[in-house]
Amino acid sequence: MLRAARRNPSATLLAAQLAGVLLYPFMQDTGAGRALFSLFGLLILGLVLLAVRGSPALTSVALALGLPATVLLLIQAVTRSNTLLPYSSALEALLYFYAAGALIAYMLGDHRVTRDELFAVGATFTLLAWAFAYAFTVCQAVEPGSFTAATHPNADRSWVQLLFLSFTTLSSTGLSDVIPVKNFARALVMIEMLTGLAYVAMLVSRLVGLTVMRRSARDG
């Protein structure tokens, strides 16, 4: 499994994050669940660092962001407390944005589309979704009441709710029942809308075009 992860780091990262989407709803209601949430976050951080190593990005920068986040997540797992959540979320948001940029540079580095680069398309999308969800978490901690929803409108939004908002915003589906109501929260959501449109328009269309051109040249 380790060899497979090293050969296809983007595919492994994508699979782990999609598994997280299914597992997170079961991890947030109890102290043990929150500890598992932190431990799963450590796994994702390790896979992010592995993916960055396969790209042109500076691994030292990723380590500078990832190691403090790892320490904070370990403390949260041991104490089963969310006191340090805004700080770890801020570091994770920066790391995920940096990793997404690294994977984009990796995909744009040449005119040959490999299998791992195709998986990197999905992995980069999930990295951006996670990064904005962590940014929403920090925003909510700094300015409580930044987001509301139909159920318990005055309560803080859970991680799953913020991740759901991030996915629906980034994909431009607009199906989320979570709504930003404070100005800075709305600004973050607007930036994510622009990011999602630019990602699909610029990067995905380029890779699809290169793949079609390669197949046409091979068939011709």
Side-chain angles (χ1 to χ4, degrees):
M1 291 179 63
L2 184 58
R3 286 196 298 268
R6 288 176 176 174
R7 286 197 302 267
N8 300 286
S10 300
T12 307
L13 175 60
L14 176 60
Q17 290 191 288
L18 293 180
V21 171
L22 299 176
L23 294 174
Y24 283 143
F26 305 100
M27 295 183 184
Q28 61 182 11
D29 295 330
T30 63
R34 286 190 291 270
L36 289 174
F37 179 90
S38 298
L39 292 175
F40 191 80
L42 291 174
L43 171 64
I44 297 295
L45 279 179
L47 294 175
V48 169
L49 294 175
L50 184 63
V52 170
R53 287 190 62 187
S55 72
L58 297 176
T59 306
S60 58
V61 177
L63 288 174
L65 295 171
L67 290 179
T70 300
V71 172
L72 294 178
L73 286 173
L74 281 173
I75 294 174
Q76 291 177 70
V78 173
T79 61
R80 299 185 181 183
S81 171
N82 287 332
T83 305
L84 297 175
L85 181 61
Y87 305 99
S88 63
S89 296
L91 290 170
E92 287 177 280
L94 292 174
L95 175 61
Y96 278 51
F97 280 125
Y98 180 79
L103 287 183
I104 289 173
Y106 165 58
M107 289 183 284
L108 296 178
D110 54 43
H111 296 285
R112 185 173 61 91
V113 181
T114 64
R115 181 175 60 180
D116 190 63
E117 286 180 356
L118 292 176
F119 283 114
V121 174
T124 303
F125 184 90
T126 55
L127 282 174
L128 289 171
W130 255 255
F132 277 104
Y134 281 120
F136 295 158
T137 301
V138 176
C139 178
Q140 179 174 256
V142 173
E143 192 174 12
S146 293
F147 303 91
T148 189
T151 57
H152 308 293
N154 297 322
D156 285 342
R157 300 300 107 200
S158 68
W159 164 253
V160 174
Q161 287 177 312
L162 294 177
L163 186 61
F164 181 61
L165 170 64
S166 184
F167 265 96
T168 56
T169 302
L170 192 63
S171 61
S172 300
T173 57
L175 297 176
S176 177
D177 62 335
V178 183
I179 303 171
V181 292
K182 297 292 183 70
N183 288 336
F184 189 73
R186 287 176 172 172
L188 286 176
V189 169
M190 286 188 285
I191 292 175
E192 186 172 15
M193 291 175 184
L194 179 61
T195 302
L197 287 173
Y199 180 75
V200 174
M202 296 173 58
L203 182 66
V204 177
S205 59
R206 177 182 183 272
L207 291 179
V208 170
L210 288 175
T211 303
V212 171
M213 289 175 58
R214 185 182 66 177
R215 290 180 178 177
S216 298
R218 182 180 59 191
D219 295 340

